[in-house]
Amino acid sequence: MVTLNTQSVTAPVGIIRLFEFVLTLITFSLVASQGHTSFSLWAWCMFTWCFCCFVTLLILILEFTSVNTKIPISWDDFTTAFAMLSTLMVLAASVIYPTYFVCSQCSVGIAASVLSCVCFCLYAAEVGLTRAKPGEISGFLATVPGLLKVLETFVACIIFICLDETIYKRFPGLQWCVAVYSICFIISLLIIILTIGRLLGRIPLPMDKCMTGYNVLAVLMYLTATIIWPFYCFENFIRPPQCDLPIIVYCFWDNLVVVSCMTCINLIAYIVDTVYSVRLVLITSPA
């Protein structure tokens, strides 16, 4: 029998989710009304708003009907991870869409961009409300290290989108960087999946120490990639003239720059993650 939980839509987080659903739906509809383009960046923005709208509605329905209590996953970890992922995705869409597809006379596009920015603020507010507070008992993904895992995974996805096989296959150093991105992405994603599936605690290993060791290794690996990627790319390639054209064209140079910046961001994220992990191990270890 379904039990209706009205508090799920009257609590602050529930109200925020209702606004998220409505505004992402309106943003998606406004952009769709302008017509379709074949550019992958436009498709990414549309997917972001559609995905966030659908999953937010699904969460609202499952919590309102209390069905979420019957799903064998860590619901709090799932919703917090989704809020963090949505924050990052909508932030990217809020930057990409107005940069490439909105002009000063495009009133509908400007409205969609503004609404997308509001959606970003709403998802960020949800993360702030659902993340673990000091001294509070909660799921791993609601803590700072858990949120950093979502950030690390998302940034790695951006890196993969910008990789060009014809470029990195020419240099062993760049192939090492791709291996770094891939290994760290797989392990971080696995940690997220095991946490949501309530399987992390069943592994017969001291997971706090294992994750600390992994974070230290990831920092060292990303440190090498932060040095090697720009060295090989900017030493062997120059910015082509077509990158300065006022129309949207594929520019491999811009992708190289994006990968370099995202590598630095992930390095910082792993350093912060390592600091938190080391603190956690020191606090929980017996004196």
Side-chain angles (χ1 to χ4, degrees):
M1 182 176 178
V2 175
T3 303
L4 298 183
N5 178 17
T6 56
Q7 189 179 1
S8 66
V9 293
T10 57
V13 173
I15 295 173
I16 286 177
R17 286 173 181 161
L18 286 173
F19 277 105
E20 290 167 355
F21 164 68
V22 172
L23 293 182
T24 50
L25 179 61
I26 294 175
T27 304
F28 175 85
S29 302
L30 285 174
V31 176
S33 68
Q34 294 295 99
H36 174 270
T37 80
S38 59
F39 292 114
S40 59
L41 291 177
W42 182 89
W44 161 259
C45 295
M46 291 293 283
F47 168 77
T48 294
W49 296 315
C50 182
F51 170 76
C52 294
C53 178
F54 172 77
V55 179
T56 301
L57 177 61
L58 182 63
I59 290 173
L60 285 168
I61 293 174
L62 292 178
E63 290 195 345
F64 183 67
T65 57
S66 300
V67 175
N68 64 299
T69 59
K70 299 176 176 61
I71 301 176
I73 64 172
S74 176
W75 184 254
D76 290 339
D77 280 320
F78 168 72
T79 53
T80 303
F82 167 71
M84 181 65 177
L85 177 62
S86 298
T87 301
L88 297 170
M89 292 178 68
V90 174
L91 173 61
S94 300
V95 173
I96 292 172
Y97 182 73
T99 300
Y100 289 100
F101 304 103
V102 177
C103 62
S104 58
Q105 288 80 35
C106 304
S107 57
V108 175
I110 293 173
S113 302
V114 172
L115 288 177
S116 184
C117 293
V118 174
C119 291
F120 159 71
C121 295
L122 289 172
Y123 280 111
E126 182 183 347
V127 172
L129 289 174
T130 57
R131 78 176 185 88
K133 308 301 186 296
E136 185 179 69
I137 298 176
S138 61
F140 170 71
L141 293 180
T143 63
V144 173
L147 295 174
L148 285 170
K149 281 286 174 286
V150 179
L151 172 63
E152 292 155 6
T153 305
F154 176 79
V155 172
C157 290
I158 298 296
I159 291 175
F160 291 139
I161 292 173
C162 296
L163 289 177
D164 189 334
E165 185 179 3
T166 60
I167 291 178
Y168 70 75
K169 274 200 168 183
R170 295 168 58 182
F171 305 100
L174 297 184
Q175 293 175 30
W176 160 254
C177 294
V178 175
V180 169
Y181 306 142
S182 303
I183 293 171
C184 295
F185 169 77
I186 291 172
I187 296 176
S188 294
L189 181 61
L190 187 61
I191 291 172
I192 293 173
I193 293 173
L194 291 176
T195 301
I196 294 176
R198 295 178 177 172
L199 299 173
L200 201 62
R202 299 185 182 183
I203 300 176
L205 293 170
M207 291 309 300
D208 53 347
K209 294 181 174 63
C210 288
M211 281 201 275
T212 301
Y214 158 66
N215 287 332
V216 172
L217 180 61
V219 168
L220 296 176
M221 293 173 69
Y222 258 92
L223 183 61
T224 63
T226 304
I227 298 172
I228 293 174
W229 183 271
F231 175 78
Y232 273 91
C233 291
F234 305 137
E235 184 74 18
N236 294 279
F237 301 100
I238 58 173
R239 181 179 174 86
Q242 62 264 30
C243 291
D244 296 320
L245 295 176
I247 59 174
I248 303 173
V249 294
Y250 170 74
C251 179
F252 76 90
W253 175 268
D254 290 346
N255 285 353
L256 297 179
V257 175
V258 171
V259 172
S260 298
C261 294
M262 293 299 106
T263 302
C264 294
I265 291 175
N266 246 4
L267 174 62
I268 295 172
Y270 276 110
I271 291 174
V272 176
D273 198 354
T274 302
V275 172
Y276 271 92
S277 299
V278 170
R279 285 180 59 190
L280 181 63
V281 171
L282 293 177
I283 291 173
T284 57
S285 298

